[in-house]
Structure formats: structure tokens, C-alpha cells
Amino acid sequence: MTSNDTDSTATPSAGTSLRTGTASSHGKTILIGEHAVVYGVPALVLPVLDVRVTATATPVDAERGSALESVVHTGPLDTAPAAVLPTVTAVTATLRHLGAPEQHLHVHVDSAVPTARGMGSSAAVAAAVTAAVADVFGRTLAPDEHHELVQECERVAHGRPSGLDARGVVADVPVWFEQGVVEPVPLGATFTFVVADTGVPGHTREAVAAVRARHDADPAAVDGVVAAIGDLARRARGTLEDGDAQALGVTMDAAHELLTALDVSSADLDRLVDAARRADALGAKLTGGGRGGCVLALVADGEHADRVAAALRAAGATETWTTTIGARA
């Protein structure tokens, strides 16, 4: 997460000098733990640093009025459609939090994070917009207050968000998430991933409901799979800390098989996972809610990423992104 550097904890006063505020955030995926995290096991959230959102907020006078400029909606803030209500909330909630609810702003959002793909689009936009609005007043939000503002937007978007997305879109390393405890995971090496879009929106609610129904029908079986995913998450954390990409890839492959056993994969996802593996990816799995959305593949380096991305597009991926975490050359 980036913004201008000025930091102040004071509430804006009548004499505060305003400026154009800027901030950015990025996408995220789940490395290990989707679905199982609902049942209390840990999850690892992976920042997708190269798929970014940039927001600018420019003070305007009351006659002009507040406005939003984005791909989804361009026009007055008070007539924005429901689809951008979380973004509107990011503006209004931050102004209220800063004690300046009457301030008018022109907010521009430029997002490369796709929607309905499990990459945290709404949280990434909220993170960038809330920080940009604060930057108008020379404020840098503290991590906890920033998180709560993003969560307020996420509640508008999703009802009862876990906080996974809100943490992942502002982190620069993987985040360990376990029953409300959040920890950054230090990296023992550089890791490069390719994210591939099936072109099919994810059906997270449908998939979560299906897993819940399976659990109600056969709790022992689902609990066994959930526990196994939790064990993989713990193993994956160790491989990240040790810098062992080969072991992490094996863990990712195993996680995909367990998610398939929960019936949250799809023919589109399986086809891309198979294509990544045939291109010698170190590991590949679905990421997010499943039944659509994206595949995550671990690769050896940038050149390997290009080959895997080409194979994924040849297999039907509508878009691919490459992201690297850890020390960069």
C-alpha cells in the first residue's frame, strides 16, 4: 500500500491546507486455505503486487459537488449505482472518520484488479480510495484504522467479510490468517507466480453453500478434508520461510486435489491447472471461491513465467498476470 508520506494524527481543522491525495493498493489471491478457513483452519493470503489500483482524490467546491470517475461509474457521487456503493462508502466513511464530512472531492479510480475473480477487487479499491482521501488532508492512516475503514466498505460489498481481502491488498508479503490472528510471513527467497483467469466469474457463495451442505450431510468426511488443508497451509508457511519453491509447489498441487474433493473446482479450472503443470509449473491450484475465477501457478523465474502464461492462454485463459514477491534482483 502506498500513499504520500506526510503523517499526522490530528483531525483536520478549518485551516487545513488541502491537496490532491493519491494512494495505491494491489490484488490478492489465496495461496492455501480457501473454504477451509471458514471452518477455523489457517489460510495463507498472497499479495499480487503487480496488479494494482491507483486512486486520486482532488478537493472541489460545493457547487461542483463530489464525483466518482471509474470504469463502472462516472458521475456525481450521490447518484452512483449500487455497484459502486462500496467505493462511495470509502469516500464518505473516510471523510466522516477524519471529521470532514462536508468536504467535496473528485475521486478517480484506475483499477487493474478484475472483479468476481477472487483477487480482492472491492477491498483493493477501498484500500486505495480511503488512503487517497486521507492524503487530501495530509494524513497517513494507521494500519488498524485503515483496516477498519476498508472493512466498513467490505461489509457493504459482502455482508460479513473475514478480513482476508482487506489484509491481503495492503500487504507486501504473504499473510497468515488464523481465527482472527493475522501475521506477516517472512520469505526465505523470491517466489514468482502466474495468475490465470478462466474468464468465468467465480461463484463463491454457491461453492461455500455446497461445502456447507456436504458438511451437514457428512461432517466427518468434510472435517477430514478441512484438517488436511490446514496441515497444507502450515506446511506452505514453512516452505515460504525456508525459501523452498519446489516444496511449496507440491503443497499447492495437493491443495488443488483436496479442493476438488470438496467439489469447488470446475472443468475450466482443472483445464488450466493441467496446462500449467504440463508447462512444468512447480505447482498449480485454483484460488478463491472456485467454480470459476482464477488459477494460481508457481514458476521458477520470469522466463518460466512467460512460458507458463503462454500455455495457460493457449488452454483458454482470458488473461494472465505475473507477480513476484520477496527480494527482487
Side-chain angles (χ1 to χ4, degrees):
M1 179 78 210
T2 59
S3 66
N4 288 347
D5 294 332
T6 303
D7 188 9
S8 169
T9 56
T11 298
S13 65
T16 299
S17 177
L18 304 183
R19 63 186 184 184
T20 293
T22 64
S24 64
S25 61
H26 51 73
K28 72 91 179 95
T29 64
I30 297 179
L31 181 56
I32 304 282
E34 49 270 275
H35 289 285
V37 71
V38 175
Y39 297 88
V41 306
L44 275 165
V45 182
L46 178 74
V48 184
L49 301 175
D50 301 278
V51 183
R52 303 196 67 79
V53 176
T54 301
T56 61
T58 304
V60 296
D61 58 38
E63 289 185 3
R64 182 174 172 184
S66 293
L68 174 64
E69 183 180 351
S70 70
V71 171
V72 179
H73 169 76
T74 294
L77 209 65
D78 57 7
T79 61
V84 293
L85 186 55
T87 307
V88 173
T89 301
V91 178
T92 57
T94 306
L95 289 173
R96 185 178 66 250
H97 176 72
L98 296 173
E102 301 304 318
Q103 177 61 50
H104 294 274
L105 299 171
H106 179 94
V107 178
H108 178 266
V109 178
D110 182 11
S111 177
V113 183
T115 60
R117 297 299 192 273
M119 292 181 69
S121 174
S122 62
V125 170
V129 170
T130 51
V133 171
D135 191 42
V136 168
F137 301 92
R139 280 284 312 273
T140 297
L141 296 167
D144 285 345
E145 66 177 334
H146 192 199
H147 176 74
E148 183 47 44
L149 284 168
V150 175
Q151 280 293 86
E152 183 171 345
C153 303
E154 285 289 89
R155 284 190 284 272
V156 172
H158 301 298
R160 298 178 62 186
S162 67
L164 281 174
D165 286 9
R167 298 293 186 184
V169 299
V170 298
D172 57 6
V173 295
V175 174
W176 179 259
F177 192 93
E178 184 173 13
Q179 296 184 342
V181 176
V182 180
E183 299 173 347
V185 178
L187 300 172
T190 297
F191 293 86
T192 299
F193 298 87
V194 176
V195 184
D197 186 357
T198 61
V200 179
H203 294 83
T204 300
R205 290 190 180 185
E206 173 188 304
V208 168
V211 174
R212 175 63 65 186
R214 288 169 67 94
H215 186 270
D216 291 345
D218 190 352
V222 173
D223 286 344
V225 175
V226 164
I229 292 174
D231 289 341
L232 290 178
R234 296 181 185 91
R235 191 184 309 169
R237 178 174 181 168
T239 64
L240 288 169
E241 293 173 343
D242 294 341
D244 191 341
Q246 293 287 342
L248 178 60
V250 171
T251 302
M252 291 172 63
D253 286 342
H256 184 75
E257 303 314 312
L258 290 172
L259 291 167
T260 299
L262 289 178
D263 194 29
V264 297
S265 191
S266 67
D268 295 313
L269 290 164
D270 290 341
R271 183 175 64 255
L272 294 188
V273 166
D274 182 61
R277 291 173 180 171
R278 284 188 283 106
D280 298 323
L282 304 181
K285 61 180 287 292
L286 71 85
T287 181
R291 298 193 177 183
C294 293
V295 159
L296 180 67
L298 175 64
V299 298
D301 51 35
E303 181 181 350
H304 189 201
D306 291 342
R307 290 193 284 111
V308 170
L312 287 163
R313 290 191 294 271
T318 57
E319 194 164 3
T320 62
W321 304 269
T322 297
T323 190
T324 299
I325 58 173
R328 301 190 185 203

